[in-house]
Amino acid sequence: MTNTGTANVRLSPPPPELMRLINPVVRRVLTTRSLGSRLRRQGMVEFTGRRTGRTLRIPVCLHHVGDETLIFTERPWRHNLAGGAPVTITHRGRTRHGRAVLVDAAPAQVGAAMRAAMDDGASPFELGLKVTRGYDPTADDLAVIARSIIRVDFED
């Protein structure tokens, strides 16, 4: 069983049914230079599914932690990136190519990376979290959340 949080911090991603309705609009906005360029963290990762061979275009939040670009998720599509896979990232109206890797990270590493993303201004919502009003989560609080890290290494 995976842990979804503590009393003050818990996993709270949008429901998949809602995402199926909203994602087509979000994809369109992200690929439009005039609108997509206004969104700081939102981007789209595009890659080929390992089993199906289908192209997947997933809206995500991109977090800059140190000199790395990271995506935090618990969604099943992340397993397509185990061992690394070529990706196209659309962010701020710009398209870049690279390789994304599902990182084999210990919970403490995930917590520290999520805390660093929050220190960079990421909201709990952008991290798929619900935090008690007025509470500032620690890296230890965030380490309890069942999340994975995807690291994006750009070619350029």
Side-chain angles (χ1 to χ4, degrees), residues 19-76:
M19 298 316 305
R20 276 192 286 282
L21 292 172
I22 293 175
N23 278 349
V25 174
V26 173
R27 285 183 196 101
R28 184 81 170 142
V29 167
L30 291 171
T31 57
T32 304
R33 187 173 290 272
S34 62
L35 296 174
S37 64
R38 297 174 188 215
L39 301 172
R40 179 173 179 215
R41 284 186 179 61
Q42 288 71 25
M44 185 171 52
V45 61
E46 184 175 333
F47 56 92
T48 302
R50 282 190 176 181
R51 289 190 331 229
T52 65
R54 285 186 13 231
T55 298
L56 300 169
R57 298 172 68 220
I58 312 287
V60 296
C61 283
L62 300 166
H63 301 279
H64 301 287
V65 175
D67 59 351
E68 296 181 320
T69 300
L70 304 178
I71 300 166
F72 300 100
T73 188
E74 80 296 338
R75 300 288 193 195

Short mmCIF file of all heavy atoms in Angstrom, two decimals, residues 19-76:
data_model
loop_
_atom_site.label_atom_id
_atom_site.label_comp_id
_atom_site.label_asym_id
_atom_site.label_seq_id
_atom_site.Cartn_x
_atom_site.Cartn_y
_atom_site.Cartn_z
N MET A 19 -9.61 15.21 -15.86
CA MET A 19 -8.46 15.43 -16.75
C MET A 19 -8.79 15.05 -18.19
O MET A 19 -8.34 15.71 -19.12
CB MET A 19 -7.23 14.66 -16.25
CG MET A 19 -6.75 15.08 -14.87
SD MET A 19 -6.69 16.86 -14.53
CE MET A 19 -5.71 17.49 -15.82
N ARG A 20 -9.58 13.99 -18.37
CA ARG A 20 -9.98 13.60 -19.74
C ARG A 20 -10.80 14.69 -20.41
O ARG A 20 -10.75 14.85 -21.62
CB ARG A 20 -10.76 12.28 -19.71
CG ARG A 20 -9.86 11.06 -19.71
CD ARG A 20 -10.63 9.78 -19.97
NE ARG A 20 -11.43 9.33 -18.84
CZ ARG A 20 -10.94 8.70 -17.77
NH1 ARG A 20 -9.67 8.46 -17.69
NH2 ARG A 20 -11.75 8.32 -16.81
N LEU A 21 -11.56 15.45 -19.62
CA LEU A 21 -12.35 16.55 -20.17
C LEU A 21 -11.52 17.79 -20.43
O LEU A 21 -11.69 18.47 -21.45
CB LEU A 21 -13.50 16.90 -19.22
CG LEU A 21 -14.60 15.87 -19.06
CD1 LEU A 21 -15.55 16.28 -17.95
CD2 LEU A 21 -15.35 15.68 -20.36
N ILE A 22 -10.62 18.10 -19.52
CA ILE A 22 -9.86 19.35 -19.57
C ILE A 22 -8.61 19.25 -20.45
O ILE A 22 -8.25 20.22 -21.12
CB ILE A 22 -9.47 19.78 -18.15
CG1 ILE A 22 -10.72 20.16 -17.38
CG2 ILE A 22 -8.48 20.93 -18.15
CD1 ILE A 22 -10.48 20.48 -15.93
N ASN A 23 -7.95 18.11 -20.47
CA ASN A 23 -6.66 18.00 -21.16
C ASN A 23 -6.69 18.40 -22.63
O ASN A 23 -5.73 19.02 -23.10
CB ASN A 23 -6.06 16.61 -20.97
CG ASN A 23 -5.32 16.50 -19.65
OD1 ASN A 23 -5.10 17.49 -18.97
ND2 ASN A 23 -4.96 15.29 -19.29
N PRO A 24 -7.73 18.10 -23.42
CA PRO A 24 -7.72 18.56 -24.81
C PRO A 24 -7.61 20.08 -24.93
O PRO A 24 -6.87 20.60 -25.78
CB PRO A 24 -9.05 18.05 -25.38
CG PRO A 24 -9.35 16.84 -24.55
CD PRO A 24 -8.86 17.19 -23.17
N VAL A 25 -8.27 20.80 -24.05
CA VAL A 25 -8.19 22.27 -24.06
C VAL A 25 -6.80 22.72 -23.62
O VAL A 25 -6.20 23.61 -24.22
CB VAL A 25 -9.28 22.88 -23.15
CG1 VAL A 25 -9.11 24.39 -23.04
CG2 VAL A 25 -10.66 22.52 -23.67
N VAL A 26 -6.28 22.09 -22.56
CA VAL A 26 -4.96 22.44 -22.04
C VAL A 26 -3.89 22.20 -23.11
O VAL A 26 -3.00 23.02 -23.32
CB VAL A 26 -4.65 21.67 -20.75
CG1 VAL A 26 -3.21 21.89 -20.30
CG2 VAL A 26 -5.63 22.07 -19.65
N ARG A 27 -3.98 21.07 -23.82
CA ARG A 27 -3.01 20.78 -24.88
C ARG A 27 -3.01 21.89 -25.93
O ARG A 27 -1.96 22.32 -26.40
CB ARG A 27 -3.32 19.44 -25.54
CG ARG A 27 -2.96 18.25 -24.73
CD ARG A 27 -3.24 16.95 -25.52
NE ARG A 27 -3.24 15.83 -24.62
CZ ARG A 27 -4.34 15.24 -24.15
NH1 ARG A 27 -5.53 15.63 -24.52
NH2 ARG A 27 -4.24 14.24 -23.32
N ARG A 28 -4.20 22.32 -26.31
CA ARG A 28 -4.34 23.38 -27.32
C ARG A 28 -3.71 24.69 -26.83
O ARG A 28 -2.98 25.34 -27.56
CB ARG A 28 -5.82 23.57 -27.64
CG ARG A 28 -6.07 24.55 -28.71
CD ARG A 28 -5.85 23.88 -30.05
NE ARG A 28 -6.33 24.78 -31.07
CZ ARG A 28 -5.73 24.93 -32.22
NH1 ARG A 28 -4.68 24.20 -32.51
NH2 ARG A 28 -6.18 25.76 -33.10
N VAL A 29 -4.00 25.05 -25.59
CA VAL A 29 -3.43 26.27 -25.01
C VAL A 29 -1.91 26.19 -24.96
O VAL A 29 -1.21 27.14 -25.32
CB VAL A 29 -4.01 26.53 -23.60
CG1 VAL A 29 -3.22 27.60 -22.86
CG2 VAL A 29 -5.48 26.92 -23.69
N LEU A 30 -1.38 25.05 -24.54
CA LEU A 30 0.07 24.91 -24.39
C LEU A 30 0.81 24.99 -25.72
O LEU A 30 1.97 25.40 -25.76
CB LEU A 30 0.40 23.60 -23.69
CG LEU A 30 0.00 23.54 -22.22
CD1 LEU A 30 0.18 22.13 -21.68
CD2 LEU A 30 0.79 24.54 -21.39
N THR A 31 0.17 24.61 -26.81
CA THR A 31 0.84 24.65 -28.11
C THR A 31 0.62 25.97 -28.84
O THR A 31 1.18 26.18 -29.91
CB THR A 31 0.36 23.49 -29.02
OG1 THR A 31 -1.05 23.55 -29.15
CG2 THR A 31 0.77 22.15 -28.43
N THR A 32 -0.17 26.86 -28.25
CA THR A 32 -0.38 28.19 -28.83
C THR A 32 0.64 29.13 -28.21
O THR A 32 0.64 29.35 -27.00
CB THR A 32 -1.81 28.69 -28.52
OG1 THR A 32 -2.73 27.73 -29.01
CG2 THR A 32 -2.07 30.03 -29.16
N ARG A 33 1.52 29.68 -29.03
CA ARG A 33 2.62 30.52 -28.51
C ARG A 33 2.12 31.67 -27.65
O ARG A 33 2.65 31.93 -26.58
CB ARG A 33 3.48 31.03 -29.65
CG ARG A 33 4.71 31.76 -29.16
CD ARG A 33 5.66 32.14 -30.28
NE ARG A 33 6.31 31.00 -30.86
CZ ARG A 33 7.45 30.47 -30.42
NH1 ARG A 33 8.02 30.99 -29.38
NH2 ARG A 33 7.99 29.44 -31.01
N SER A 34 1.08 32.37 -28.09
CA SER A 34 0.62 33.55 -27.34
C SER A 34 0.06 33.20 -25.97
O SER A 34 0.23 33.94 -25.01
CB SER A 34 -0.41 34.32 -28.15
OG SER A 34 -1.54 33.51 -28.38
N LEU A 35 -0.61 32.06 -25.85
CA LEU A 35 -1.16 31.66 -24.56
C LEU A 35 -0.18 30.82 -23.75
O LEU A 35 0.00 31.04 -22.55
CB LEU A 35 -2.47 30.88 -24.76
CG LEU A 35 -3.62 31.65 -25.38
CD1 LEU A 35 -4.79 30.72 -25.66
CD2 LEU A 35 -4.04 32.80 -24.49
N GLY A 36 0.45 29.86 -24.39
CA GLY A 36 1.38 28.96 -23.70
C GLY A 36 2.56 29.68 -23.10
O GLY A 36 3.08 29.28 -22.05
N SER A 37 3.00 30.78 -23.72
CA SER A 37 4.16 31.51 -23.22
C SER A 37 3.88 32.20 -21.88
O SER A 37 4.79 32.60 -21.17
CB SER A 37 4.62 32.55 -24.24
OG SER A 37 3.61 33.53 -24.42
N ARG A 38 2.62 32.32 -21.51
CA ARG A 38 2.24 32.99 -20.26
C ARG A 38 2.22 32.05 -19.05
O ARG A 38 2.07 32.49 -17.93
CB ARG A 38 0.87 33.63 -20.41
CG ARG A 38 0.86 34.70 -21.45
CD ARG A 38 -0.52 35.21 -21.68
NE ARG A 38 -0.50 36.11 -22.82
CZ ARG A 38 -1.26 37.17 -22.92
NH1 ARG A 38 -2.13 37.46 -21.98
NH2 ARG A 38 -1.18 37.94 -23.98
N LEU A 39 2.33 30.75 -19.31
CA LEU A 39 2.25 29.76 -18.24
C LEU A 39 3.65 29.36 -17.79
O LEU A 39 4.41 28.80 -18.57
CB LEU A 39 1.46 28.54 -18.72
CG LEU A 39 0.03 28.84 -19.19
CD1 LEU A 39 -0.59 27.62 -19.82
CD2 LEU A 39 -0.81 29.35 -18.04
N ARG A 40 3.97 29.61 -16.54
CA ARG A 40 5.33 29.41 -16.05
C ARG A 40 5.72 27.94 -15.93
O ARG A 40 6.78 27.54 -16.35
CB ARG A 40 5.49 30.09 -14.69
CG ARG A 40 6.88 29.90 -14.13
CD ARG A 40 7.13 30.70 -12.88
NE ARG A 40 8.48 30.43 -12.42
CZ ARG A 40 8.81 30.37 -11.16
NH1 ARG A 40 7.92 30.58 -10.23
NH2 ARG A 40 10.04 30.10 -10.81
N ARG A 41 4.87 27.14 -15.33
CA ARG A 41 5.23 25.75 -15.05
C ARG A 41 4.54 24.73 -15.95
O ARG A 41 5.04 23.64 -16.13
CB ARG A 41 4.91 25.41 -13.59
CG ARG A 41 5.90 25.99 -12.63
CD ARG A 41 5.62 25.51 -11.22
NE ARG A 41 6.56 26.02 -10.26
CZ ARG A 41 6.77 27.29 -9.98
NH1 ARG A 41 6.11 28.20 -10.59
NH2 ARG A 41 7.65 27.66 -9.07
N GLN A 42 3.39 25.06 -16.47
CA GLN A 42 2.65 24.09 -17.24
C GLN A 42 3.33 23.84 -18.59
O GLN A 42 3.76 24.76 -19.27
CB GLN A 42 1.21 24.55 -17.47
CG GLN A 42 0.35 24.49 -16.23
CD GLN A 42 0.71 25.53 -15.17
OE1 GLN A 42 1.26 26.58 -15.48
NE2 GLN A 42 0.41 25.23 -13.94
N GLY A 43 3.39 22.56 -18.93
CA GLY A 43 3.97 22.16 -20.19
C GLY A 43 3.33 20.85 -20.63
O GLY A 43 2.42 20.33 -19.98
N MET A 44 3.81 20.33 -21.74
CA MET A 44 3.28 19.07 -22.24
C MET A 44 4.46 18.16 -22.59
O MET A 44 5.40 18.59 -23.25
CB MET A 44 2.41 19.31 -23.47
CG MET A 44 1.74 18.07 -23.98
SD MET A 44 0.51 18.44 -25.25
CE MET A 44 1.43 19.44 -26.39
N VAL A 45 4.39 16.94 -22.13
CA VAL A 45 5.39 15.94 -22.48
C VAL A 45 4.75 14.99 -23.49
O VAL A 45 3.63 14.55 -23.31
CB VAL A 45 5.93 15.21 -21.22
CG1 VAL A 45 4.85 14.48 -20.48
CG2 VAL A 45 7.06 14.25 -21.57
N GLU A 46 5.48 14.73 -24.55
CA GLU A 46 4.99 13.86 -25.62
C GLU A 46 6.00 12.73 -25.81
O GLU A 46 7.20 12.97 -25.92
CB GLU A 46 4.84 14.67 -26.91
CG GLU A 46 4.24 13.91 -28.05
CD GLU A 46 4.01 14.82 -29.26
OE1 GLU A 46 3.83 16.04 -29.09
OE2 GLU A 46 4.02 14.28 -30.38
N PHE A 47 5.49 11.50 -25.83
CA PHE A 47 6.36 10.33 -25.99
C PHE A 47 5.54 9.18 -26.54
O PHE A 47 4.31 9.25 -26.63
CB PHE A 47 7.01 9.94 -24.65
CG PHE A 47 6.02 9.68 -23.54
CD1 PHE A 47 5.54 8.40 -23.31
CD2 PHE A 47 5.56 10.72 -22.75
CE1 PHE A 47 4.61 8.16 -22.30
CE2 PHE A 47 4.65 10.49 -21.73
CZ PHE A 47 4.17 9.21 -21.51
N THR A 48 6.21 8.11 -26.90
CA THR A 48 5.55 6.93 -27.45
C THR A 48 5.37 5.89 -26.36
O THR A 48 6.33 5.57 -25.64
CB THR A 48 6.40 6.33 -28.61
OG1 THR A 48 6.57 7.34 -29.59
CG2 THR A 48 5.72 5.12 -29.22
N GLY A 49 4.16 5.37 -26.25
CA GLY A 49 3.87 4.33 -25.27
C GLY A 49 4.65 3.06 -25.59
O GLY A 49 4.73 2.67 -26.75
N ARG A 50 5.20 2.43 -24.59
CA ARG A 50 6.01 1.22 -24.80
C ARG A 50 5.21 0.06 -25.36
O ARG A 50 5.66 -0.62 -26.27
CB ARG A 50 6.64 0.79 -23.48
CG ARG A 50 7.81 1.60 -23.11
CD ARG A 50 8.52 0.98 -21.93
NE ARG A 50 9.70 1.79 -21.68
CZ ARG A 50 10.57 1.55 -20.76
NH1 ARG A 50 10.41 0.51 -19.97
NH2 ARG A 50 11.61 2.31 -20.60
N ARG A 51 4.06 -0.21 -24.80
CA ARG A 51 3.27 -1.37 -25.23
C ARG A 51 2.40 -1.06 -26.43
O ARG A 51 2.26 -1.88 -27.33
CB ARG A 51 2.41 -1.89 -24.08
CG ARG A 51 3.20 -2.55 -22.99
CD ARG A 51 2.31 -3.25 -21.99
NE ARG A 51 1.00 -2.62 -21.88
CZ ARG A 51 0.41 -2.28 -20.76
NH1 ARG A 51 1.01 -2.51 -19.62
NH2 ARG A 51 -0.77 -1.73 -20.74
N THR A 52 1.78 0.11 -26.44
CA THR A 52 0.80 0.41 -27.49
C THR A 52 1.41 1.04 -28.72
O THR A 52 0.83 0.96 -29.80
CB THR A 52 -0.27 1.39 -26.95
OG1 THR A 52 0.36 2.63 -26.64
CG2 THR A 52 -0.98 0.83 -25.74
N GLY A 53 2.56 1.72 -28.55
CA GLY A 53 3.16 2.43 -29.67
C GLY A 53 2.42 3.73 -29.99
O GLY A 53 2.77 4.44 -30.93
N ARG A 54 1.40 4.04 -29.19
CA ARG A 54 0.64 5.29 -29.39
C ARG A 54 1.44 6.48 -28.88
O ARG A 54 2.20 6.37 -27.92
CB ARG A 54 -0.67 5.25 -28.59
CG ARG A 54 -1.74 4.39 -29.19
CD ARG A 54 -3.09 4.49 -28.47
NE ARG A 54 -3.19 5.59 -27.53
CZ ARG A 54 -3.60 5.47 -26.27
NH1 ARG A 54 -3.94 4.29 -25.79
NH2 ARG A 54 -3.69 6.51 -25.49
N THR A 55 1.22 7.62 -29.51
CA THR A 55 1.82 8.86 -29.03
C THR A 55 0.97 9.39 -27.89
O THR A 55 -0.24 9.56 -28.04
CB THR A 55 1.90 9.90 -30.16
OG1 THR A 55 2.73 9.39 -31.20
CG2 THR A 55 2.46 11.21 -29.65
N LEU A 56 1.61 9.62 -26.76
CA LEU A 56 0.93 10.18 -25.59
C LEU A 56 1.35 11.63 -25.43
O LEU A 56 2.54 11.94 -25.51
CB LEU A 56 1.29 9.37 -24.34
CG LEU A 56 0.91 7.90 -24.39
CD1 LEU A 56 1.54 7.14 -23.23
CD2 LEU A 56 -0.59 7.75 -24.36
N ARG A 57 0.39 12.50 -25.22
CA ARG A 57 0.63 13.93 -25.00
C ARG A 57 0.00 14.30 -23.67
O ARG A 57 -1.20 14.44 -23.58
CB ARG A 57 0.04 14.74 -26.15
CG ARG A 57 0.67 14.37 -27.49
CD ARG A 57 -0.03 15.01 -28.67
NE ARG A 57 0.16 16.45 -28.64
CZ ARG A 57 -0.79 17.34 -28.94
NH1 ARG A 57 -1.99 16.95 -29.30
NH2 ARG A 57 -0.54 18.61 -28.90
N ILE A 58 0.85 14.46 -22.66
CA ILE A 58 0.38 14.61 -21.29
C ILE A 58 0.71 16.02 -20.77
O ILE A 58 1.88 16.38 -20.67
CB ILE A 58 1.07 13.58 -20.34
CG1 ILE A 58 1.04 12.18 -20.93
CG2 ILE A 58 0.48 13.67 -18.95
CD1 ILE A 58 -0.27 11.49 -20.92
N PRO A 59 -0.30 16.81 -20.40
CA PRO A 59 -0.02 18.09 -19.73
C PRO A 59 0.57 17.81 -18.34
O PRO A 59 0.08 16.94 -17.62
CB PRO A 59 -1.38 18.76 -19.62
CG PRO A 59 -2.19 18.14 -20.72
CD PRO A 59 -1.72 16.71 -20.76
N VAL A 60 1.63 18.52 -18.00
CA VAL A 60 2.32 18.34 -16.72
C VAL A 60 2.77 19.70 -16.20
O VAL A 60 2.72 20.70 -16.91
CB VAL A 60 3.58 17.44 -16.88
CG1 VAL A 60 3.20 16.03 -17.31
CG2 VAL A 60 4.58 18.05 -17.85
N CYS A 61 3.25 19.71 -14.97
CA CYS A 61 3.95 20.87 -14.43
C CYS A 61 5.43 20.54 -14.45
O CYS A 61 5.84 19.46 -14.00
CB CYS A 61 3.49 21.20 -13.02
SG CYS A 61 1.90 22.02 -12.96
N LEU A 62 6.22 21.45 -14.99
CA LEU A 62 7.67 21.27 -15.05
C LEU A 62 8.28 22.10 -13.92
O LEU A 62 7.97 23.28 -13.77
CB LEU A 62 8.21 21.75 -16.39
CG LEU A 62 7.65 21.02 -17.61
CD1 LEU A 62 7.97 21.77 -18.89
CD2 LEU A 62 8.19 19.60 -17.66
N HIS A 63 9.15 21.47 -13.15
CA HIS A 63 9.76 22.14 -12.01
C HIS A 63 11.27 22.19 -12.21
O HIS A 63 11.89 21.17 -12.52
CB HIS A 63 9.43 21.39 -10.72
CG HIS A 63 7.95 21.29 -10.48
ND1 HIS A 63 7.22 22.32 -9.94
CD2 HIS A 63 7.07 20.30 -10.76
CE1 HIS A 63 5.95 21.96 -9.88
NE2 HIS A 63 5.83 20.74 -10.37
N HIS A 64 11.83 23.37 -12.01
CA HIS A 64 13.28 23.54 -12.13
C HIS A 64 13.87 23.48 -10.73
O HIS A 64 13.64 24.36 -9.91
CB HIS A 64 13.61 24.85 -12.85
CG HIS A 64 13.01 24.89 -14.22
ND1 HIS A 64 13.50 24.13 -15.26
CD2 HIS A 64 11.93 25.52 -14.70
CE1 HIS A 64 12.75 24.33 -16.33
NE2 HIS A 64 11.78 25.17 -16.02
N VAL A 65 14.60 22.40 -10.49
CA VAL A 65 15.23 22.16 -9.20
C VAL A 65 16.72 22.09 -9.45
O VAL A 65 17.19 21.16 -10.11
CB VAL A 65 14.70 20.86 -8.54
CG1 VAL A 65 15.44 20.57 -7.25
CG2 VAL A 65 13.19 20.97 -8.29
N GLY A 66 17.44 23.09 -8.97
CA GLY A 66 18.86 23.17 -9.29
C GLY A 66 18.99 23.37 -10.79
O GLY A 66 18.34 24.24 -11.37
N ASP A 67 19.76 22.52 -11.43
CA ASP A 67 19.92 22.62 -12.88
C ASP A 67 19.13 21.53 -13.61
O ASP A 67 19.37 21.24 -14.78
CB ASP A 67 21.39 22.57 -13.27
CG ASP A 67 22.09 21.30 -12.82
OD1 ASP A 67 21.47 20.52 -12.07
OD2 ASP A 67 23.24 21.08 -13.23
N GLU A 68 18.17 20.92 -12.90
CA GLU A 68 17.37 19.85 -13.49
C GLU A 68 15.93 20.28 -13.71
O GLU A 68 15.39 21.09 -12.96
CB GLU A 68 17.38 18.61 -12.59
CG GLU A 68 18.76 17.99 -12.43
CD GLU A 68 18.73 16.75 -11.56
OE1 GLU A 68 18.02 16.74 -10.54
OE2 GLU A 68 19.44 15.80 -11.91
N THR A 69 15.31 19.70 -14.73
CA THR A 69 13.88 19.88 -14.97
C THR A 69 13.20 18.59 -14.55
O THR A 69 13.54 17.51 -15.05
CB THR A 69 13.61 20.18 -16.46
OG1 THR A 69 14.30 21.38 -16.81
CG2 THR A 69 12.13 20.34 -16.72
N LEU A 70 12.25 18.71 -13.62
CA LEU A 70 11.61 17.54 -13.03
C LEU A 70 10.09 17.60 -13.20
O LEU A 70 9.50 18.68 -13.24
CB LEU A 70 11.92 17.45 -11.54
CG LEU A 70 13.39 17.43 -11.13
CD1 LEU A 70 13.50 17.39 -9.60
CD2 LEU A 70 14.13 16.26 -11.75
N ILE A 71 9.50 16.41 -13.26
CA ILE A 71 8.05 16.23 -13.25
C ILE A 71 7.76 15.29 -12.09
O ILE A 71 8.42 14.26 -11.94
CB ILE A 71 7.55 15.60 -14.57
CG1 ILE A 71 7.91 16.49 -15.76
CG2 ILE A 71 6.05 15.33 -14.51
CD1 ILE A 71 7.75 15.79 -17.11
N PHE A 72 6.78 15.64 -11.26
CA PHE A 72 6.36 14.78 -10.15
C PHE A 72 5.00 14.19 -10.52
O PHE A 72 4.08 14.92 -10.89
CB PHE A 72 6.22 15.58 -8.85
CG PHE A 72 7.51 16.22 -8.42
CD1 PHE A 72 7.75 17.56 -8.68
CD2 PHE A 72 8.49 15.50 -7.76
CE1 PHE A 72 8.93 18.17 -8.28
CE2 PHE A 72 9.67 16.09 -7.36
CZ PHE A 72 9.89 17.44 -7.62
N THR A 73 4.86 12.88 -10.42
CA THR A 73 3.59 12.25 -10.75
C THR A 73 3.46 10.89 -10.08
O THR A 73 4.47 10.26 -9.72
CB THR A 73 3.40 12.10 -12.27
OG1 THR A 73 2.07 11.65 -12.54
CG2 THR A 73 4.40 11.14 -12.88
N GLU A 74 2.24 10.44 -9.94
CA GLU A 74 1.96 9.07 -9.50
C GLU A 74 1.16 8.34 -10.57
O GLU A 74 0.79 7.20 -10.39
CB GLU A 74 1.22 9.07 -8.15
CG GLU A 74 -0.27 9.34 -8.23
CD GLU A 74 -0.64 10.73 -8.74
OE1 GLU A 74 0.17 11.66 -8.67
OE2 GLU A 74 -1.76 10.87 -9.24
N ARG A 75 0.90 9.01 -11.68
CA ARG A 75 0.07 8.44 -12.75
C ARG A 75 0.79 7.27 -13.44
O ARG A 75 2.01 7.27 -13.59
CB ARG A 75 -0.26 9.50 -13.80
CG ARG A 75 -1.02 10.70 -13.24
CD ARG A 75 -2.42 10.32 -12.90
NE ARG A 75 -3.20 11.54 -12.67
CZ ARG A 75 -4.36 11.57 -12.09
NH1 ARG A 75 -4.92 10.46 -11.67
NH2 ARG A 75 -5.00 12.69 -11.91
N PRO A 76 0.03 6.28 -13.90
CA PRO A 76 0.63 5.08 -14.51
C PRO A 76 1.47 5.35 -15.76
O PRO A 76 2.40 4.58 -16.04
CB PRO A 76 -0.59 4.22 -14.87
CG PRO A 76 -1.69 4.69 -13.99
CD PRO A 76 -1.42 6.15 -13.73
#
